[in-house]
Amino acid sequence: PGDTAVLVRDDGQILASEPPFLDPPPPFGAERPLMQAIGAGRVSGTLMYATTPDDHPVTVAFFRITAYPDLAVAVGRRRAEIMTRWRQAMVPVLLAGLPAVFALIGLALVVRRQQDALEDTLGGLEQRIAERTTSLREGEERLRLALEAGQLGTWETATSSGLSTRSPRAIEILGFQPGVATTPFDDWTARIHPGDRARVLEQWDALVAGRLPVYRVEYRFQSPD
């Protein structure tokens, strides 16, 4: 009810209005923000200023009529009315939105705390891994020195492939070809003394099957010579 609409010519003459004027209104003066905007060649826009009769702040939206570029339509509404309608529209949104915003903030804080705790845990884990790696390296070095001092050989056999890998000293002890570190399982079993072979393989099969916790066996071994 408080809105006003006018059809105005670019010289300021008001051709029609809603609500209608009781008496023919005087033309808009060139000092009016609306006429300044039209005079500047603007096609459309929004202006904010105080009306002359009652000094109420208003917002005016205007646009030129495409078919009649010398005519423009301007609609004015009091700022107080705009704010009232804005509050009526926003209050329900805020009532629903603010709890959601606070819930998201709370969730973000929980996630942040969990991330901090995870980072602390990972930091401690990395430290323990580093310490464990250092300890393993030191243990491997001690084992290497002990093996060298005792002139002992080491070997590893993969039960899945049957391939055995031996240290240089183990190759020397068993008489295998120097430089050939990995050989098939059968190359080893074929050189076990026939009198000991069945007993050794029985021990080995029990170990692979999980029936024997420790493989410890003594046997005779035939070197190539």
Side-chain angles (χ1 to χ4, degrees), residues 151-183:
Q151 297 187 351
L152 302 176
T154 61
W155 53 269
E156 296 178 5
T157 298
T159 57
S160 58
S161 63
L163 294 177
S164 296
T165 302
R166 299 176 178 85
S167 67
R169 177 58 179 154
I171 293 174
E172 180 183 354
I173 293 173
L174 297 178
F176 282 101
Q177 183 179 353
V180 181
T182 302
T183 60

Coordinates of all heavy atoms in Angstrom, one line a residue, residues 151-183:
Q151 N 83.0 -66.5 11.6 CA 83.1 -67.1 10.2 C 81.9 -68.1 10.0 O 82.1 -69.2 9.5 CB 84.4 -67.9 10.1 CG 85.7 -67.0 10.2 CD 87.0 -67.7 9.9 OE1 87.0 -68.9 9.8 NE2 88.0 -66.9 9.8
L152 N 80.7 -67.6 10.3 CA 79.5 -68.3 10.1 C 78.8 -67.9 8.8 O 79.0 -66.8 8.4 CB 78.6 -68.2 11.3 CG 79.1 -68.6 12.7 CD1 78.1 -68.2 13.8 CD2 79.5 -70.1 12.7
G153 N 78.0 -68.8 8.3 CA 77.2 -68.5 7.1 C 75.8 -68.4 7.4 O 75.3 -69.0 8.4
T154 N 75.0 -67.7 6.6 CA 73.5 -67.6 6.8 C 72.8 -67.9 5.5 O 73.4 -67.8 4.4 CB 73.1 -66.2 7.3 OG1 73.5 -65.2 6.3 CG2 73.8 -65.8 8.6
W155 N 71.6 -68.3 5.6 CA 70.8 -68.7 4.4 C 69.3 -68.4 4.7 O 68.9 -68.4 5.9 CB 71.0 -70.1 4.0 CG 70.8 -71.1 5.1 CD1 71.7 -71.6 6.0 CD2 69.6 -71.7 5.5 NE1 71.1 -72.5 6.9 CE2 69.8 -72.5 6.6 CE3 68.3 -71.6 5.0 CZ2 68.8 -73.3 7.2 CZ3 67.3 -72.4 5.6 CH2 67.5 -73.2 6.7
E156 N 68.6 -68.2 3.7 CA 67.1 -68.0 3.7 C 66.5 -68.8 2.6 O 67.0 -68.8 1.5 CB 66.7 -66.5 3.6 CG 67.3 -65.6 4.7 CD 66.9 -64.2 4.5 OE1 66.2 -63.9 3.5 OE2 67.3 -63.3 5.3
T157 N 65.4 -69.5 2.9 CA 64.7 -70.3 1.9 C 63.2 -69.8 1.9 O 62.6 -69.8 2.9 CB 64.8 -71.8 2.2 OG1 66.1 -72.2 2.2 CG2 64.0 -72.6 1.2
A158 N 62.7 -69.5 0.7 CA 61.3 -69.1 0.5 C 60.5 -70.4 0.3 O 60.7 -71.1 -0.7 CB 61.2 -68.1 -0.6
T159 N 59.6 -70.7 1.2 CA 58.9 -71.9 1.1 C 57.9 -71.9 -0.1 O 57.5 -72.9 -0.6 CB 58.1 -72.2 2.4 OG1 57.2 -71.1 2.7 CG2 59.0 -72.4 3.6
S160 N 57.6 -70.7 -0.5 CA 56.6 -70.6 -1.7 C 57.3 -70.9 -3.0 O 56.7 -71.6 -3.8 CB 56.0 -69.2 -1.7 OG 57.1 -68.2 -1.9
S161 N 58.5 -70.5 -3.2 CA 59.2 -70.7 -4.4 C 60.3 -71.8 -4.3 O 60.7 -72.4 -5.4 CB 59.9 -69.4 -4.9 OG 60.9 -69.0 -4.0
G162 N 60.7 -72.2 -3.1 CA 61.7 -73.2 -3.0 C 63.1 -72.7 -3.3 O 64.1 -73.5 -3.4
L163 N 63.3 -71.4 -3.4 CA 64.6 -70.8 -3.7 C 65.4 -70.5 -2.4 O 64.8 -69.9 -1.5 CB 64.5 -69.6 -4.6 CG 63.9 -69.8 -6.0 CD1 63.8 -68.4 -6.7 CD2 64.8 -70.7 -6.8
S164 N 66.7 -70.8 -2.4 CA 67.5 -70.6 -1.2 C 68.5 -69.5 -1.5 O 69.2 -69.6 -2.6 CB 68.2 -71.8 -0.7 OG 67.2 -72.8 -0.3
T165 N 68.7 -68.5 -0.7 CA 69.7 -67.5 -0.8 C 70.7 -67.6 0.3 O 70.3 -67.6 1.5 CB 69.0 -66.1 -0.8 OG1 68.0 -66.0 -1.9 CG2 70.0 -65.0 -1.1
R166 N 72.0 -67.6 -0.1 CA 73.0 -67.8 0.9 C 74.0 -66.7 1.0 O 74.2 -66.0 -0.1 CB 73.7 -69.1 0.6 CG 72.8 -70.3 0.7 CD 73.5 -71.6 0.3 NE 72.6 -72.8 0.4 CZ 71.8 -73.1 -0.6 NH1 71.8 -72.5 -1.7 NH2 71.0 -74.2 -0.4
S167 N 74.6 -66.5 2.1 CA 75.7 -65.5 2.3 C 76.9 -66.0 1.6 O 77.1 -67.2 1.4 CB 75.9 -65.1 3.7 OG 76.5 -66.3 4.4
P168 N 77.9 -65.1 1.3 CA 79.1 -65.6 0.7 C 79.8 -66.7 1.5 O 80.4 -67.6 1.0 CB 80.0 -64.3 0.5 CG 79.0 -63.2 0.4 CD 77.8 -63.6 1.3
R169 N 79.8 -66.5 2.8 CA 80.5 -67.5 3.7 C 79.7 -68.8 3.6 O 80.4 -69.9 3.6 CB 80.5 -67.0 5.1 CG 81.1 -67.9 6.1 CD 82.5 -68.3 5.8 NE 83.1 -69.3 6.8 CZ 84.0 -70.2 6.5 NH1 84.5 -70.3 5.3 NH2 84.5 -71.0 7.5
A170 N 78.4 -68.8 3.6 CA 77.6 -70.1 3.5 C 77.9 -70.8 2.1 O 78.0 -72.0 2.1 CB 76.1 -69.8 3.6
I171 N 78.1 -70.0 1.1 CA 78.4 -70.6 -0.2 C 79.8 -71.2 -0.2 O 80.0 -72.3 -0.7 CB 78.4 -69.5 -1.3 CG1 77.0 -69.0 -1.5 CG2 79.0 -70.0 -2.6 CD1 76.9 -67.8 -2.5
E172 N 80.7 -70.6 0.5 CA 82.1 -71.1 0.7 C 82.0 -72.4 1.5 O 82.7 -73.4 1.1 CB 83.0 -70.1 1.3 CG 84.4 -70.6 1.6 CD 85.2 -69.5 2.3 OE1 84.7 -68.4 2.5 OE2 86.4 -69.8 2.6
I173 N 81.3 -72.4 2.6 CA 81.2 -73.6 3.4 C 80.6 -74.8 2.7 O 81.1 -75.9 2.8 CB 80.4 -73.3 4.7 CG1 81.1 -72.3 5.6 CG2 80.1 -74.6 5.5 CD1 80.3 -71.8 6.8
L174 N 79.5 -74.6 2.0 CA 78.8 -75.7 1.3 C 79.4 -76.1 0.0 O 79.1 -77.1 -0.6 CB 77.3 -75.3 1.1 CG 76.5 -75.0 2.4 CD1 75.1 -74.6 2.0 CD2 76.5 -76.3 3.2
G175 N 80.3 -75.2 -0.5 CA 81.0 -75.6 -1.7 C 80.2 -75.2 -3.0 O 80.5 -75.8 -4.1
F176 N 79.2 -74.3 -2.9 CA 78.5 -73.9 -4.1 C 79.4 -73.0 -5.0 O 80.4 -72.5 -4.5 CB 77.2 -73.2 -3.7 CG 76.1 -74.2 -3.3 CD1 75.8 -74.3 -2.0 CD2 75.4 -74.9 -4.2 CE1 74.8 -75.2 -1.5 CE2 74.4 -75.7 -3.8 CZ 74.1 -75.9 -2.5
Q177 N 79.0 -72.8 -6.2 CA 79.7 -72.0 -7.1 C 79.8 -70.5 -6.6 O 78.8 -69.9 -6.3 CB 79.1 -72.0 -8.5 CG 79.9 -71.2 -9.5 CD 79.2 -71.3 -10.9 OE1 78.2 -72.0 -11.1 NE2 79.7 -70.5 -11.8
P178 N 81.0 -70.0 -6.5 CA 81.1 -68.6 -6.0 C 80.3 -67.6 -6.8 O 80.3 -67.7 -8.1 CB 82.6 -68.3 -6.0 CG 83.2 -69.7 -6.0 CD 82.3 -70.6 -6.7
G179 N 79.7 -66.6 -6.2 CA 78.9 -65.6 -7.0 C 77.5 -66.0 -7.2 O 76.7 -65.2 -7.7
V180 N 77.1 -67.3 -7.0 CA 75.7 -67.7 -7.2 C 75.1 -67.8 -5.9 O 75.2 -68.8 -5.2 CB 75.7 -69.1 -8.0 CG1 74.2 -69.5 -8.2 CG2 76.4 -69.0 -9.3
A181 N 74.4 -66.7 -5.5 CA 73.8 -66.7 -4.1 C 72.5 -67.4 -4.0 O 72.2 -67.9 -2.9 CB 73.6 -65.2 -3.7
T182 N 71.8 -67.5 -5.1 CA 70.4 -68.1 -5.0 C 70.4 -69.4 -5.9 O 70.7 -69.3 -7.1 CB 69.3 -67.1 -5.5 OG1 69.4 -66.0 -4.7 CG2 68.0 -67.7 -5.4
T183 N 69.9 -70.5 -5.3 CA 69.8 -71.7 -6.0 C 68.5 -72.4 -5.6 O 67.9 -72.1 -4.6 CB 71.0 -72.7 -5.7 OG1 71.0 -72.9 -4.3 CG2 72.3 -72.0 -6.1

